[in-house]
Amino acid sequence: PPIWIVSAILVAGALRTIVERISGVAQTGECRLYTRTDDRDDALEPCPCAVCRLFGNVEPGKTANEHSPVKAFASKLTVFDAVFECPRTRVVDGVAINRTRGSAQDSKKFDYRQILPGSKLQIEIRAVNLTTLELDWISAALRIIARGEVGLGGRSARGNGFLKPDE
């Protein structure tokens, strides 16, 4: 049988987005991800905000020149691909929408496979040297995902990817 996964990048991205909201770094302008300009004096320094220290810098490979690499923080988290345990699936019909006309595009039907409710998802995360605050943020983010408040994967705007805890 096929193995159904949610990419580690999607899981880590959802966790980071939730932690950014919880911590308030996006709203306060503390994170350079939201205030970055290349002409700032500190543009080549790693972002000092708590979220970037937890998840790592967004652009660690950027360099000032070949002799002066940008400093960066590595993530304290290793997020693995999340694996569904024996999921039930179904094929769903879809159609491309012509955004100008607001209707179905001619000859653009497609199918996709949807994982049905009741399927169990196993998420594995390894953490190193977390502060109490960082652990609280990750725990809260996982609870938010588990309660189905944030979707994982594609088509979440259409209601897919939202988890529910075991009854």
Side-chain angles (χ1 to χ4, degrees):
I3 297 174
W4 297 89
I5 65 166
V6 176
S7 166
I9 293 172
L10 291 173
V11 176
L15 288 171
R16 183 179 177 116
T17 298
I18 295 166
V19 170
E20 286 173 354
R21 288 184 201 152
I22 293 169
S23 69
V25 296
Q27 295 84 358
T28 63
E30 180 184 347
C31 183
R32 291 190 190 149
L33 177 63
Y34 298 99
T35 61
R36 178 183 63 223
T37 60
D38 288 336
D39 58 347
R40 287 176 30 172
D41 291 337
D42 61 0
L44 299 177
E45 293 296 316
C47 178
C49 85
V51 175
C52 286
R53 285 188 176 273
L54 173 59
F55 286 93
N57 289 94
V58 176
E59 295 181 339
K62 189 175 179 185
T63 58
N65 61 51
E66 61 222 30
H67 304 294
S68 177
V70 176
K71 299 173 189 167
F73 297 119
S75 177
K76 293 182 177 184
L77 305 173
T78 302
V79 180
F80 296 87
D81 288 339
V83 179
F84 281 95
E85 297 173 9
C86 303
R88 294 184 356 236
T89 64
R90 70 175 174 194
V91 175
V92 179
D93 294 329
V95 64
I97 301 296
N98 181 316
R99 299 203 187 275
T100 305
R101 292 192 334 242
S103 61
Q105 184 77 22
D106 293 334
S107 303
K108 296 291 182 177
K109 181 190 170 302
F110 60 91
D111 296 329
Y112 65 95
R113 194 162 286 281
Q114 185 179 58
I115 296 175
L116 297 173
S119 301
K120 294 191 184 295
L121 180 66
Q122 183 176 3
I123 296 175
E124 182 181 351
I125 299 170
R126 293 192 187 146
V128 178
N129 296 328
L130 294 185
T131 66
T132 302
L133 179 61
E134 291 167 340
L135 182 59
D136 289 346
W137 283 344
I138 294 301
S139 297
L142 288 169
R143 284 192 304 273
I144 288 169
I145 290 171
R147 286 193 308 255
E149 296 177 28
V150 173
L152 292 178
R155 305 193 182 282
S156 60
R158 294 181 177 233
N160 293 333
F162 292 88
L163 307 178
K164 292 183 182 173
D166 288 339
E167 300 300 326

